[in-house]
């Protein structure tokens, strides 16, 4: 603890500083009021000040008044004075003094007064430390509350999106079925019409034109309807993903083979597939059908990225890592540019154009894996991409 002595009297300064140093305390000594105020305004300033009432520059009362106005760190101020009139004492206390000491200073009294001052200032320091702790804790709690609020808003948005998707899927499904049913009937009627009016062989240019264009139009409508059905089924999985629980132990090799069967169309002749499984691989725990859905999404994405290659390379590896079953799907396709890499898991984000992608594949896959207690992540490769997911084991 540092103590300031401000007195213009050499003897008083000497006496006080030798007592204080004898107590093992650090001493700052000045001869007049302005230096005293400067010392008390510095960072890491003395905690206790013994100030002579009568000093050049600023007197003791003025130093205390200025100090209290600054409202910086509190210093315990003892006024040193020969004045003993109750009116003077009152003036000193009114100015903000904490104690008085008469001149010439009595050694025993100084020690006692310093003990009290130290006790009070120690208490003050403890209080300030607790206050700082409390403020830190309050700031931490505020951050936690803000984080939680953000998470809730996000969860709420996802829930709304889920409900909205379920509603839309239902509304779109009925007219889509209706269109596809009617197109099939129209095709049958078209054939009947051609036969009935001998239009199949007609050389009339208008009839020829309609005969060629009509099947293309109905084909186009059917492709559109299939596309709608694909979006609807993705929307359905998106809205139902939280609700399905058919968890059990399952064989990852079987799930991977099953997924390749489902992707036969996407993984065509130009892709060389390699699978590798670590020996004695334990079973995974989860909903096998949902995990197959994730694998199909990842394999299809990999195949899409290699569609322009003469020989695409698709590797699936399965191994144990940190007591979790890890599956990695690597391709040597187009790769993912840095600036879109952090968007690929967002719902409805696609670079495949409206007709080829819904942009829900990765977002649904990540939700499924996280629901299972695992993680799905992307990492770039020098040529291509790598997607890995983890799952709990038996
Ligand atoms: N293996 C990959 N290589 C390159 N780009 C990828 C790969 N996997 C995902 N992407 C990028 O991430 C985007 C989002 O993928 P996601 O599976 O969510 O939707 P999508 O494939 O576009 O549509 P959908 O899955 O409905 O067919 C893709 O459009 C593509 O740009
Ligand atoms: Mg996809």
């Amino acid at each position: 603890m540092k103590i300031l002595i401000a007195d213009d009297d050499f003897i008083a300064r000497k006496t006080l500083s030798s007592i204080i140093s004898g107590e093992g305390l650090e001493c700052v000594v000045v001869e007049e009021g302005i230096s005293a105020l400067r010392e008390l305004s510095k960072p890491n300033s003395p905690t206790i000040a013994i100030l002579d009432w009568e000093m050049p520059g600023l007197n003791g009362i003025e130093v205390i008044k200025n100090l209290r106005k600054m409202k910086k760190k509190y210093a315990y101020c003892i006024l040193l004075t020969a004045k003993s009139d109750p009116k003077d004492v009152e003036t000193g206390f009114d100015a903000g003094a904490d104690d008085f000491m008469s001149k010439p200073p009595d050694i025993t009294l100084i020690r006692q007064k310093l003990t009290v001052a130290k006790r009070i200032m120690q208490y003050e320091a403890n209080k300030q430390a607790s206050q700082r702790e409390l403020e830190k804790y309050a700031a931490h709690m505020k951050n936690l509350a803000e984080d939680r609020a953000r998470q809730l808003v996000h969860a709420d948005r996802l829930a709304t999106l889920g409900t909205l998707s379920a509603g839309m899927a239902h509304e779109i499904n009925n007219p889509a079925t209706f269109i596809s049913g009617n197109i099939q009937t129209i095709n049958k009627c078209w054939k009947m019409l051609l036969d009935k009016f001998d239009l199949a062989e007609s050389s009339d240019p208008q009839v020829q034109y309609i005969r060629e264009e009509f099947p293309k139009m109905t084909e186009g409508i059917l492709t559109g309807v299939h596309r709608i059905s694909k979006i609807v089924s993705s929307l359905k999985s998106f809205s139902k993903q939280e609700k399905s629980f058919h968890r059990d132990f399952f064989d990852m090799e079987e799930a991977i083979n099953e997924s390749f069967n489902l992707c036969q169309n996407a993984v065509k002749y130009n892709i060389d597939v390699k699978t590798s499984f670590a020996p004695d691989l334990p079973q995974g725990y989860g909903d096998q059908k949902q995990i197959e859905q994730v694998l199909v999404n990842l394999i299809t994405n990999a195949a899409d990225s290699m569609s322009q290659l003469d020989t695409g390379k698709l590797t699936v590896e399965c191994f144990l890592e940190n007591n979790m079953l890890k599956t990695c799907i690597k391709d040597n396709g187009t790769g993912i540019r840095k600036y879109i890499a952090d968007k690929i898991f967002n719902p409805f984000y696609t670079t495949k154009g409206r007709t080829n992608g819904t942009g829900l594949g990765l977002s649904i896959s990540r939700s499924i894996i996280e629901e299972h207690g695992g993680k799905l992540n992307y990492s770039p490769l020098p040529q291509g991409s790598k997607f890995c997911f983890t799952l709990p084991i038996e």
Side-chain angles (χ1 to χ4, degrees):
M1 201 174 271
K2 240 195 267 180
I3 300 188
L4 174 84
I5 299 164
D7 201 317
D8 58 339
D9 176 28
F10 175 75
I11 305 287
R13 286 201 306 270
K14 265 277 166 221
T15 320
L16 284 168
S17 59
S18 70
I19 297 169
I20 289 165
S21 309
E23 292 284 304
L25 298 168
E26 193 186 333
C27 223
V28 180
V29 185
V30 295
E31 294 173 22
E32 40 72 40
I34 294 172
S35 308
L37 191 60
R38 193 178 307 125
E39 286 298 329
L40 290 169
S41 328
K42 283 182 183 170
N44 204 14
S45 59
T47 359
I48 301 169
I50 302 175
L51 306 162
D52 189 16
W53 188 313
E54 298 297 349
M55 284 188 289
L58 295 171
N59 68 28
I61 293 280
E62 286 163 340
V63 172
I64 295 175
K65 274 187 181 166
N66 278 298
L67 187 66
R68 298 298 182 237
K69 259 191 244 158
M70 291 193 301
K71 287 191 180 136
K72 286 202 175 159
K73 203 181 93 183
Y74 196 85
Y76 188 91
C77 294
I78 304 172
L79 262 181
L80 198 58
T81 176
K83 301 181 189 196
S84 54
D85 190 311
K87 273 240 172 288
D88 293 328
V89 174
E90 198 184 329
T91 314
F93 279 127
D94 282 350
D98 297 290
D99 203 356
F100 276 88
M101 221 180 332
S102 52
K103 262 184 155 178
D106 173 273
I107 297 181
T108 322
L109 201 63
I110 291 174
R111 285 206 180 105
Q112 285 164 354
K113 284 188 183 282
L114 278 180
T115 310
V116 174
K118 276 191 318 195
R119 197 187 302 143
I120 291 174
M121 290 316 284
Q122 190 56 53
Y123 173 77
E124 183 64 24
N126 291 346
K127 206 176 79 187
Q128 275 177 12
S130 320
Q131 198 164 334
R132 275 197 298 275
E133 271 301 303
L134 262 175
E135 277 164 12
K136 229 165 72 186
Y137 183 70
H140 179 61
M141 291 306 285
K142 192 168 160 255
N143 284 344
L144 272 182
E146 279 171 5
D147 280 355
R148 187 79 191 111
R150 263 197 298 274
Q151 281 167 5
L152 282 174
V153 170
H154 186 62
D156 192 40
R157 277 193 197 148
L158 278 184
T160 314
L161 199 57
T163 317
L164 195 74
S165 312
M168 272 165 58
H170 182 75
E171 290 300 322
I172 295 169
N173 222 6
N174 288 344
T177 320
F178 183 71
I179 295 169
S180 109
N182 280 312
I183 283 293
Q184 280 160 25
T185 317
I186 286 175
N187 274 339
K188 277 187 206 149
C189 294
W190 171 245
K191 280 194 189 101
M192 281 163 61
L193 213 66
L194 288 179
D195 291 344
K196 184 133 182 130
F197 296 101
D198 279 338
L199 296 173
E201 304 298 329
S202 167
S203 54
D204 179 316
Q206 264 185 332
V207 173
Q208 265 182 351
Y209 176 78
I210 295 173
R211 208 170 51 212
E212 275 168 26
E213 290 304 311
F214 191 85
K216 286 188 204 159
M217 288 185 232
T218 54
E219 183 64 34
I221 295 173
L222 265 184
T223 313
V225 172
H226 285 147
R227 164 98 191 115
I228 292 173
S229 304
K230 195 185 162 206
I231 296 173
V232 166
S233 82
S234 294
L235 283 175
K236 274 186 178 163
S237 349
F238 183 69
S239 58
K240 276 189 198 150
Q241 53 188 290
E242 304 284 314
K243 294 163 200 156
S244 130
F245 292 105
H246 304 287
R247 302 212 179 148
D248 205 346
F249 294 109
F250 70 94
D251 190 30
M252 188 52 104
E253 191 166 349
E254 187 187 305
I256 290 172
N257 291 336
E258 191 56 41
S259 308
F260 273 112
N261 285 338
L262 293 169
C263 300
Q264 269 171 5
N265 214 13
V267 186
K268 290 182 207 126
Y269 48 88
N270 69 324
I271 295 173
D272 178 18
V273 179
K274 278 202 173 69
T275 49
S276 89
F277 298 90
D280 303 323
L281 211 56
Q283 288 197 305
Y285 183 74
D287 183 332
Q288 184 172 338
K289 286 285 156 235
Q290 283 196 323
I291 301 306
E292 283 171 12
Q293 193 186 341
V294 172
L295 284 162
V296 167
N297 279 330
L298 298 179
I299 294 168
T300 316
N301 281 347
D304 286 346
S305 80
M306 297 184 287
S307 61
Q308 302 301 316
L309 295 180
D310 289 337
T311 352
K313 285 198 177 86
L314 198 159
T315 318
V316 184
E317 288 167 349
C318 207
F319 51 96
L320 256 191
E321 192 180 271
N322 298 330
N323 226 21
M324 300 281 272
L325 190 60
K326 189 162 182 174
T327 306
C328 291
I329 289 129
K330 291 195 268 185
D331 64 66
N332 65 339
T334 53
I336 299 173
R337 268 170 289 165
K338 247 190 182 166
Y339 75 97
I340 61 166
D342 46 344
K343 296 187 206 154
I344 56 174
F345 289 98
N346 292 348
F348 303 109
Y349 181 80
T350 180
T351 55
K352 296 176 188 170
R354 282 171 174 227
T355 41
N356 295 318
T358 63
L360 285 170
L362 284 178
S363 125
I364 292 174
S365 302
R366 180 172 261 182
S367 306
I368 292 176
I369 296 300
E370 286 180 355
E371 253 283 295
H372 279 73
K375 284 201 160 57
L376 166 63
N377 285 314
Y378 153 77
S379 32
L381 293 177
Q383 166 73 63
S385 315
K386 177 162 106 168
F387 284 85
C388 294
F389 65 86
T390 53
L391 277 180
I393 51 169
E394 44 192 351

